[in-house]
Amino acid sequence: ELVSLSHDFFCDKYLQGQHWVITAGPTREAIDPVRYISNHSSGKMGYAIAHAAIRAGAKVTLISGPVNISAPVGCQLISVISAEDMHQQALKFAPESTTFIACAAVADYRVANIASQKIKKTNDAMHLELVKNHDIVADVACLPNKPFMVGFAAETQNIEAYARGKLVRKNLDLIAANDVAKSGQGFNSDDNALMLYSAIDKTEIPLANKQIVAQKLVSLINQHYLAKQI
Amino acid sequence: ELVSLSHDFFCDKYLQGQHWVITAGPTREAIDPVRYISNHSSGKMGYAIAHAAIRAGAKVTLISGPVNISAPVGCQLISVISAEDMHQQALKFAPESTTFIACAAVADYRVANIASQKIKKTNDAMHLELVKNHDIVADVACLPNKPFMVGFAAETQNIEAYARGKLVRKNLDLIAANDVAKSGQGFNSDDNALMLYSAIDKTEIPLANKQIVAQKLVSLINQHYLAKQI
């Protein structure tokens, strides 16, 4: 009985015929040839979702910033560095997808004028002028034939309010929120806990290994996706 | 003959009795709880030097920023995040060392006011105010009983002029310079090529695996160190 249950859970190809595009990892915004701005995303959550979606039978395109983990066997890996690279690749692959998962921690701002040579530290202070990057998930959600849209919100305070605001503002179907200020979950941790919000409900995925959280999340996303097709 | 040569080269404990303090990797300067400024240093060169120095019989303290490689067996690893952390640890361990190798790519500037919560992208532009960090290698070189001082210069142009300027300005015994703009060497590469400058001479270490470059560099540093003791 347990064997057959776990067989169903791990091996049922319930995403067969779907194409998931998943963004993962951080982006790096160059300051000069040696310095950059980035963030603490390890890519683990996005890679775990890619892995779980492949096991469930989906075709997966993984658009990833620079990380130190290996891509799951069977995915199409598109490696990028900056947010603008990721934006370009996301708009290229999203139109052919059924589901778009924006799990990457994309830099909101890039450096206005990237120095072509290493900046010398001649001054006691330095000013970096930053300009806003394109909003990848919002732009994908504006596509005429937009896929089922799942965003992420990594927050340090007022989690639900920010997450629900983002869900509506960016025209998403679902948003998965986590509290990156809590130790032992979120950025660079092997574990995570998520709250998944739709316009009308919310579901908790309790603290667990990111592989387990990803399996539950993939299944939940698919349930919402199927409900929308009716 | 070859066996005995390679035995001498790899196993002769010619650094026995010496204590090397080596800084390695990048530093990360927080912008807020999720974003930071860093650089492309992988830590590979500093870790290879630590490995070579341990094999040559030195006691090694490795003060390292966040990297994705394992510390060599037998070293004392001091993990740090920011340049100010590294400065503090360097000044703690340097006074008891014979040789100080400043291989880390230390951030020259830190963010003036680190935000305690994730900064929201409400504005189209953003200004980051940066202030200069302490100069680790220069401060160690000002210690009353300063160790033998080896600096690094990772440059993208005018390599020799910058390197010789740094050697004099920071009161170093040696400086190892590399051109990080050349592909296939330097940051995040497995290979490197160095020019080692003293006040009176220069020695080239040609492009090779960083382990090989490190073995040659450690031997050359020791020759200069011994010459200074006479």
Side-chain angles (χ1 to χ4, degrees):
Chain A
E1 177 68 12
L2 261 176
V3 170
S4 112
L5 267 178
S6 73
H7 178 84
D8 284 345
F9 186 65
F10 289 117
C11 298
D12 183 20
K13 303 288 185 192
Y14 63 90
L15 295 184
Q16 202 114 48
Q18 294 189 28
H19 178 189
W20 286 34
V21 171
I22 301 167
T23 70
T27 64
R28 285 185 186 167
E29 308 302 314
I31 298 173
D32 65 20
V34 303
R35 302 176 176 96
Y36 59 80
I37 295 175
S38 192
N39 63 65
H40 293 292
S41 170
S42 63
K44 286 175 190 166
M45 194 62 228
Y47 278 54
I49 295 168
H51 187 239
I54 289 167
R55 288 183 78 160
K59 174 184 173 187
V60 170
T61 302
L62 180 60
I63 304 173
S64 175
V67 297
N68 293 289
I69 51 178
S70 301
V73 173
C75 82
Q76 176 186 33
L77 177 68
I78 309 293
S79 294
V80 298
I81 303 288
S82 70
E84 294 301 283
D85 294 342
M86 188 174 275
H87 181 261
Q88 198 180 331
Q89 296 300 324
L91 287 179
K92 178 178 167 188
F93 287 99
E96 59 189 64
S97 70
T98 53
T99 305
F100 186 88
I101 317 280
C103 191
V106 182
D108 297 318
Y109 296 92
R110 68 179 181 277
V111 177
N113 298 297
I114 301 171
S116 62
Q117 300 292 342
K118 186 180 171 188
I119 300 166
K120 308 306 294 182
K121 53 167 174 176
T122 39
N123 300 317
D124 281 344
M126 188 173 144
H127 308 273
L128 273 186
E129 298 290 317
L130 308 176
V131 293
K132 219 180 217 176
N133 279 323
H134 286 109
D135 189 326
I136 296 175
V137 75
D139 286 358
V140 172
C142 288
L143 290 172
N145 246 329
K146 71 161 181 159
F148 189 78
M149 296 294 304
V150 185
F152 270 73
E155 300 297 342
T156 58
Q157 59 184 346
N158 304 333
I159 319 273
E160 178 159 2
Y162 279 132
R164 288 206 174 276
K166 196 170 171 177
L167 182 77
V168 174
R169 198 170 63 249
K170 300 200 177 179
N171 198 19
L172 307 178
D173 296 296
L174 292 171
I175 192 157
N178 66 339
D179 184 342
V180 291
K182 281 191 189 158
S183 67
Q185 67 187 67
F187 284 151
N188 213 20
S189 170
D190 287 329
D191 296 332
N192 204 3
L194 294 175
M195 283 299 296
L196 186 66
Y197 300 99
S198 74
I200 53 168
D201 65 10
K202 65 178 175 183
T203 314
E204 186 182 0
I205 303 179
L207 188 64
N209 185 281
K210 284 182 177 174
Q211 300 292 338
I212 303 295
V213 171
Q215 285 165 11
K216 292 184 180 170
L217 180 62
V218 164
S219 172
L220 281 168
I221 290 170
N222 186 51
Q223 287 167 33
H224 282 88
Y225 169 79
L226 294 176
K228 201 186 173 187
Q229 312 307 311
I230 298 165
Chain B
E1 177 67 12
L2 262 175
V3 170
S4 114
L5 268 177
S6 75
H7 178 82
D8 284 345
F9 186 65
F10 289 119
C11 299
D12 182 22
K13 302 288 186 195
Y14 63 89
L15 295 184
Q16 201 113 50
Q18 293 188 30
H19 179 187
W20 286 34
V21 171
I22 301 167
T23 69
T27 65
R28 284 184 188 168
E29 309 302 314
I31 298 173
D32 65 20
V34 302
R35 300 175 178 98
Y36 59 81
I37 297 174
S38 192
N39 62 64
H40 293 293
S41 171
S42 62
K44 287 176 190 167
M45 194 65 229
Y47 278 54
I49 296 169
H51 187 239
I54 289 166
R55 289 182 78 160
K59 175 183 172 185
V60 170
T61 302
L62 180 60
I63 305 173
S64 176
V67 296
N68 292 290
I69 50 178
S70 301
V73 173
C75 83
Q76 177 187 32
L77 178 68
I78 310 294
S79 294
V80 298
I81 303 288
S82 71
E84 293 302 283
D85 294 343
M86 189 175 273
H87 181 261
Q88 199 180 329
Q89 296 299 325
L91 286 179
K92 177 178 169 190
F93 287 100
E96 59 189 65
S97 70
T98 53
T99 305
F100 186 88
I101 317 278
C103 191
V106 182
D108 297 318
Y109 296 91
R110 68 178 180 278
V111 177
N113 298 298
I114 301 171
S116 63
Q117 300 292 342
K118 186 179 172 189
I119 301 166
K120 307 307 293 181
K121 53 168 174 176
T122 38
N123 299 318
D124 281 343
M126 189 175 146
H127 308 272
L128 273 185
E129 297 290 317
L130 307 177
V131 292
K132 220 181 217 177
N133 279 322
H134 286 108
D135 188 326
I136 296 175
V137 74
D139 286 358
V140 171
C142 288
L143 290 171
N145 247 329
K146 72 160 179 159
F148 187 79
M149 297 293 302
V150 184
F152 271 73
E155 300 297 343
T156 57
Q157 58 184 349
N158 305 332
I159 320 273
E160 178 158 2
Y162 278 134
R164 289 205 173 277
K166 195 169 171 179
L167 181 78
V168 173
R169 197 171 63 248
K170 299 200 177 178
N171 199 19
L172 308 178
D173 295 295
L174 292 171
I175 192 155
N178 65 340
D179 184 344
V180 290
K182 283 192 188 156
S183 67
Q185 66 186 66
F187 285 151
N188 213 21
S189 169
D190 287 329
D191 296 331
N192 204 1
L194 294 174
M195 284 297 297
L196 187 66
Y197 300 99
S198 75
I200 53 168
D201 64 9
K202 65 178 175 184
T203 314
E204 186 183 358
I205 303 179
L207 187 66
N209 185 279
K210 283 180 176 174
Q211 301 291 338
I212 303 294
V213 170
Q215 285 165 10
K216 292 184 179 170
L217 180 62
V218 164
S219 172
L220 281 167
I221 291 169
N222 186 51
Q223 286 168 32
H224 282 88
Y225 168 79
L226 294 176
K228 200 186 173 185
Q229 314 305 311
I230 297 167

